[in-house]
Amino acid sequence: MNYPNELKYSRDHEWVRMEGDIAVIGISDFAQDALGDVVFVNLPQEGDAATAGEAFGDVESVKAVSDLVSPVSGTICAVNEELLDAPERLNEDPYGAWLIKVEGITGTEELLDAADYQAMAEQG
Amino acid sequence: MSDWKRTQLYDAHVAAGATMVEFGGWDMPVQYPSGIVAEHLYTRSVCSLFDVSHMGRILVSGPQRVEFLQHVLTSNVLALDLDRAQYSMISDENGYAIDDAYLYRFEEDRFLLVVNAANTDKDLAHLMKVVKDYDCTLTNITADWAAIAVQGPKSKEMMTILSGGEAVTEPMRNALNSLCLEGHFARVAKTGYTGEPLGYEVYVKSEDAVWLWNRLIELGARPAGLGARDTLRMEAGLPLYGHELGLDPAGQPIPIFAVPLARFAVSFSERKGKFIGREALQKQSDAFKRVLNRDFSELSALPRRVRPITLLDRGVIRAGMPVYYKGQEVGWITSGTMIPYFRTENEGLETVITDDALKRSIGMCYVPSEILDEELLEVDVRGKRLRAVIPERHLDNMAPPYARPIIYGTTLSERPAESTTHPALALLHRAEENHIWRQRRCINLIPSENTPSRAVQLLSASDPSCRYAEHKKVKSFYDKDIFYYQGTGFIDEVEQTLVEELRKYFNCSEVETRVVSGQMANTAVFSALMDWKNRLDRRRNPERLGYVMNNHIIKGGHLSAQPMGALHDYIAVDPVTERSAIVNFPVCKDNIFKIDVEETKKLIDQYRPEFIIFGKSMIIHKEPVTDIRRFVDEQKIPTTIMYDMAHVLGLVGKYFQEPFAEGAEIVTGSTHKTFFGPQRGVIAVNYKEEDLKYGLWQTIENRAFPGSVSNHHLGTQLGLLMAAYEMNAFKDSYQKAVIDNARHFAKALKAQGLDVCGDPAIDYTETHQVLVSVGYGEGAEIANRLEKNNIVVNYQATPDEEGFTASGALRMGTNEMTRFGFGPKEFEKLAALIADCVKNGARVIDEVEKLRADFTEMRYCFNDREFETALEGFAGKFGF
């Protein structure tokens, strides 16, 4: 399992990468592995509001549906529409296959660094 | 640690990195590292292994085992032959499923009942309560034997390696076999829960489980978990207890008839007596029949049914989601997810399965019985109403070796529009092109075809072809044929002469020539037999025929002698087995193309068939008419022996068989295969006027006219007379040449490295046919390749293959090319070209056309100067 050091992680298994003022958000390697084959992704529209701690979409594997919980509050400025047709990218490259980008950030959930997140995830 | 039970393969699953979950009290693999999607697709394209050792297995033995099972199950256990399995239900008194189950009969005196793991304890409690009243013992052997499902298009090949080449089971679904797999005893069932047309469930002793599992992985199979097992069964539309059976999402029990498979799992045979749930199930069945007739007036016994459902919008349907119809909530999704499939290209037999994986959200729903196929529904998918539809099916397995996803909305491409030419003119051009191609450029090896001589063709098209000549024997005129139309003197003379010529040919007493096809000949005979059987009392519904012995279609039998063919309306249903009263000729273990005479005698003794039909469409051996005639005479078994000589009608004589001399009473056939005629049928019998069965002959005439034809195609009847003259004049040299050529051809193909079927000791064939095995499922592709090289053959499923798309054989006949003058040398050349094309994919069309070009002149027909002059004269006046 891979936990890149340069990323921050939420307790809901999302990762966050800051690009200037913009937060790029995806799901962790641990999350994609636990989900199994991702077969469907439901994403919001550009311009929608994201609220820290609340769902902005969902991701479905063969077995189950999981909410995608936003680690930040702000305005969604980009959506990775490639995932709508190729949701399996989330399994293949969880840190390359980002979900949304958020700007105008007004709040953030508690974010963990890689080591703390790994400890939390793997102790389950 | 948990107290979940572990199967014999637990360590293998963990070692392979499986994700383990609790299922029905067992610690089972839900998926392996490759994931559910990959496991699903690998099953559909290659072969997967599923550990099904958790399924409950109960041995049922004791003197009253049949009575017990008839009472506690919904299926007809008496219909279960040895080495067969059947799907069944354990019903409660109200017609609700306690469980669904599979019943296996591997042994004469014991049944094996397989039930769902999660229900095993509940089932056993119920069964134990019922069994108290019976002299019958139940033994739970779940822990003693491991079970591995081997499913997918390559499963047969892999299992056949383990069996050392022996047939794993008979090719039909639900066939069973007990055999050794590389020294390990196994019981094998051609069953499964994936929808795959090729798949087995293999039972081995616990200590052999790991060996079998690993050995199959070595051969290329991969393990798959419960996740893929669920998506595969969902795509196949197979019910899962707890979803489509048991309680619905509102907590109400689902009637058994709500599940489409119930029709096959429930029997109301009188032999079942008062079984548990019978009354309630009868009500459900009655409601189901009303639904099929679109009578929705009284559906209280079956308010909803389980149907396939396809989501049209983007999203994923899942169990429990509400379903809406015309704005009203009417039911639920019972199973659903996103299911992968491989995209295909091209159409029909040219379909290519790509490795491009797509997905669709499909599943099953439980909705009002009134809702028809193709109706639009809505599903509440997490708060959003998405559009969905009820398709006919999600998957079809009738074109083995693959289970083929049926993608909703797929349409076949339309034929390209014709050019600016008027279609009538274009038709002429196309017909000419086709004629020249088949007659001058192709080497035709289809054994059921022949080109008639020029004289036969001319006569077939001449004036009688547009006339009527109904006639019937009239007792008042001493059986003189009375015609209903004028202008028929010539036709009368032709028909009488034709009968004479054919009597000579068959060496028999009576011939009926009015039937216009071999199939019609059979229908007329079957109809006559049934009528004759009922002749003493016609004031009640006639009794149908039964038992009838024939060659099974999968063992090369004629379609026209099957219940699905000409026997359809004349064969009885055995009330015990609830199947057509047919018993098939057993075939030799070491030569599946040959009837096993000793086993046949045993079956005749057991079934006392009232009618025995010899003959088949894959025929390389003589049929054992003499042996069977002698046996039924000695045993004084009253029966009628018929030989449907369709393929070999032109081979009647000393080089092949003389059916009447050997003891056949009736011969039917088509006149255009090895015989020289245009396309017609014929019936011959050898009853004399003083015989009891002369009455049967008269009934046959009656079932020919007015029973089968009014207009009996007088042009081709005239053509047939010329063909009969040709046959009687040239049969000696023609028949010998055809069979000699077939043997040379077979040996040459073998020498070229092709796998020729049959016995090398007799040069592979006793007829005009040569069968070549080209590899399982390869038949259609190779036949197509040969056609592109102007060699026209017939692809066929051999007796151990599942059906036409699984065909691994080519069927060829030497008859037509022999008539065009091919001898051993030409067939040797042809064998080399075929081998090059089949083995190396070589382009041989130029050599084929060259070989054909020298042989366009018809042999074995009249060609003296006087005859030719007359023929030319007639053709000229005719204007052709």
Side-chain angles (χ1 to χ4, degrees), chain B residues 512 515 517-533 545 566-567 570 611-613 640-644 665-669 682-685 687 696-697 699-704 708:
Chain B
E512 172 59 72
V515 285
S517 71
Q519 168 108 352
M520 186 187 281
N522 282 359
T523 308
V525 169
F526 303 157
S527 171
L529 261 170
M530 186 167 115
D531 192 58
W532 197 67
K533 174 178 180 173
L545 304 173
L567 261 179
Y570 309 106
F611 188 32
I612 296 174
I613 310 172
T640 298
I641 296 182
M642 169 173 136
Y643 192 165
D644 178 348
E665 294 160 62
I666 305 171
V667 166
T668 60
V682 66
I683 305 166
V685 307
Y687 301 125
L696 172 59
W697 158 247
T699 311
I700 289 172
E701 284 186 294
N702 192 269
R703 296 322 295 154
S708 305

Side-chain angles (χ1 to χ4, degrees), chain A residues 36-42 58 60-65 67 84-85 87-88, chain B residues 30-31 34-38 227 231 314-316 318 337-338 359 381-382 384:
Chain A
D37 291 320
V38 175
V39 290
F40 191 75
V41 185
N42 228 333
D58 51 62
E60 305 206 21
S61 69
V62 175
K63 290 173 286 182
V65 191
D67 278 335
L84 299 178
D85 289 325
E88 62 276 7
Chain B
V30 68
Q31 66 173 72
S34 59
I36 294 171
V37 168
T231 56
R314 290 177 58 91
V316 184
R318 296 196 184 269
T337 183
M338 194 65 110
K359 300 184 190 78
V381 178
R382 295 158 58 73
K384 272 190 273 183

Side-chain angles (χ1 to χ4, degrees), chain B residues 548-609:
Chain B
V548 172
M549 185 170 233
N550 68 3
N551 284 298
H552 195 290
I553 187 147
I554 230 167
K555 301 248 159 58
H558 286 297
L559 189 58
S560 57
Q562 309 292 322
M564 69 166 104
L567 261 179
H568 188 268
D569 299 334
Y570 309 106
I571 188 76
V573 169
D574 182 330
V576 176
T577 65
E578 298 175 281
R579 292 191 301 264
S580 294
I582 287 282
V583 55
N584 296 125
F585 284 111
V587 295
C588 298
K589 269 211 148 60
D590 57 346
N591 183 351
I592 48 188
F593 299 100
K594 197 169 183 174
I595 290 175
D596 183 331
V597 172
E598 290 315 308
E599 287 301 312
T600 301
K601 288 178 184 172
K602 287 183 203 157
L603 285 182
I604 291 176
D605 206 33
Q606 184 187 342
Y607 285 90
R608 322 281 295 181

Side-chain angles (χ1 to χ4, degrees), chain B residues 811-861:
Chain B
R811 187 184 68 159
M812 298 179 278
T814 51
N815 38 323
E816 185 165 348
M817 293 319 297
T818 300
R819 265 206 114 187
F820 279 116
F822 267 32
K825 218 168 67 205
E826 287 73 32
F827 276 107
E828 271 167 35
K829 277 189 202 161
L830 178 59
L833 294 174
I834 289 175
D836 202 15
C837 183
V838 169
K839 286 178 8 192
N840 313 323
R843 186 190 136 91
V844 296
I845 184 167
D846 300 329
E847 291 96 319
V848 168
E849 290 202 9
K850 204 160 143 268
L851 180 58
R852 180 68 166 93
D854 295 336
F855 296 89
T856 53
E857 199 184 313
M858 179 70 63
R859 319 287 164 102
Y860 310 103
C861 59

Side-chain angles (χ1 to χ4, degrees), chain B residues 410-432:
Chain B
T410 304
T411 49
L412 296 178
S413 60
E414 297 194 0
R415 283 201 309 163
E418 297 282 347
S419 64
T420 49
T421 330
H422 190 281
L425 181 58
L427 176 63
L428 276 185
H429 291 319
R430 296 262 304 116
E432 181 182 333

